[in-house]
Amino acid sequence: MFEAKDFFDLGLKFHGHKCPAMPLGLKAACAAMNALGVERSKDKELMLLAETADNHAMGCFVDGLMTVTGCTYGKSNIKKLYYGKMAFTLIDTKSKKAVRVSLKPKFVDKMLTESPFIAERKKGIPPQDVDPKITDPLIEKVLNLKEEDFLDISPVFDYDFKKIPGVMEADFCDVCGEAVYIDKLKFIDGKQVCIPCSDKIAQK
Ligand SMILES: [Zn+2]
Ligand SMILES: [Zn+2]
């Protein structure tokens, strides 16, 4: 069984500051892992589709998800869908089963309007400078939340996952000379060029 507390130190080191949203991600990810009955992703066994976007409060949630699931941007097994929702789908690519986990609507609303941490953030205080007397009890509270009090966990469902083969070859851009993975090379006027060089050619 996955337990958020077991991942807190790793999550904090990775994330960089104490806040309630990262541990919320740890908790939500553990719920998804336990629902699917899977192990942390060593390679691309799992795929995570996060419905969050950029620059939204509680976006730190996703670092908690990455910490527990092993779905990382380096391995390309996490994608943001930019819906602006505190929700995600975790897919087991082997069994082609998935689960969607979301924060309960009222819980999201309560966090945004009543959390003393968010109140400090609204004043423009960086997360690492919020008084630990505010942050620490909130983290403790999050780590002890009961899943049914803040999470909606879908039944496990079938997910038709299509595997994309890895690209192992690169070739040189005829303009800047840098190595580019071949699927990203563009062909213009008999030259093979990288995207920035092709943009410069297009601007001329
Ligand atoms: Zn954070
Ligand atoms: Zn180039």
Side-chain angles (χ1 to χ4, degrees):
M1 284 290 276
F2 281 81
E3 272 271 8
K5 285 173 189 174
D6 298 338
F7 289 89
F8 183 74
D9 290 345
L10 178 65
L12 182 59
K13 195 161 191 178
F14 172 59
H15 184 51
H17 63 242
K18 283 185 178 178
C19 68
M22 187 282 287
L24 273 176
L26 297 178
K27 295 275 292 189
C30 286
M33 297 293 278
N34 292 334
L36 283 179
V38 287
E39 284 178 36
R40 194 166 186 270
S41 202
K42 292 191 178 84
D43 184 31
K44 301 185 185 191
E45 299 85 0
L46 302 177
M47 169 60 91
L48 196 153
L49 303 175
E51 297 183 24
T52 60
D54 294 341
N55 304 316
H56 289 163
M58 297 203 277
C60 302
F61 180 71
V62 177
D63 279 355
L65 301 181
M66 289 203 280
T67 301
V68 170
T69 60
C71 294
T72 62
Y73 278 92
K75 290 189 299 220
S76 311
N77 59 339
I78 180 168
K79 302 261 182 284
K80 269 194 195 177
L81 300 178
Y82 297 96
Y83 296 165
K85 290 189 180 191
M86 298 299 295
F88 65 97
T89 295
L90 185 66
I91 304 155
D92 177 357
T93 68
K94 282 183 178 166
S95 67
K96 299 190 179 187
K97 299 278 181 197
V99 65
R100 182 176 184 267
V101 176
S102 57
L103 299 190
K104 285 186 183 290
K106 279 187 181 154
F107 182 83
V108 174
D109 181 57
K110 218 176 150 191
M111 287 290 280
L112 293 178
T113 56
E114 292 176 23
S115 163
F117 183 86
I118 301 273
E120 293 293 284
R121 298 284 294 114
K122 282 178 184 167
K123 289 183 211 159
I125 298 171
Q128 64 272 25
D129 293 340
V130 174
D131 191 338
K133 280 185 199 135
I134 293 174
T135 316
D136 289 347
L138 287 174
I139 290 172
E140 202 50 38
K141 212 169 148 184
V142 165
L143 288 174
N144 289 303
L145 280 171
K146 281 189 196 146
E147 284 176 2
E148 59 268 31
D149 289 340
F150 77 111
L151 291 179
D152 284 325
I153 305 167
S154 80
V156 171
F157 57 93
D158 293 327
Y159 192 102
D160 188 18
F161 185 81
K162 300 259 187 308
K163 233 182 188 163
I164 301 164
V167 178
M168 305 287 176
E169 281 171 73
D171 204 348
F172 308 108
C173 169
D174 286 337
V175 177
C176 69
E178 293 191 340
V180 185
Y181 286 93
I182 53 170
D183 61 320
K184 291 293 178 187
L185 277 168
K186 293 194 162 194
F187 296 88
I188 301 172
D189 304 334
K191 283 180 182 167
Q192 60 176 32
V193 293
C194 70
I195 291 170
C197 288
S198 81
D199 288 346
K200 279 179 208 157
I201 291 167
Q203 279 163 18
K204 275 178 193 165

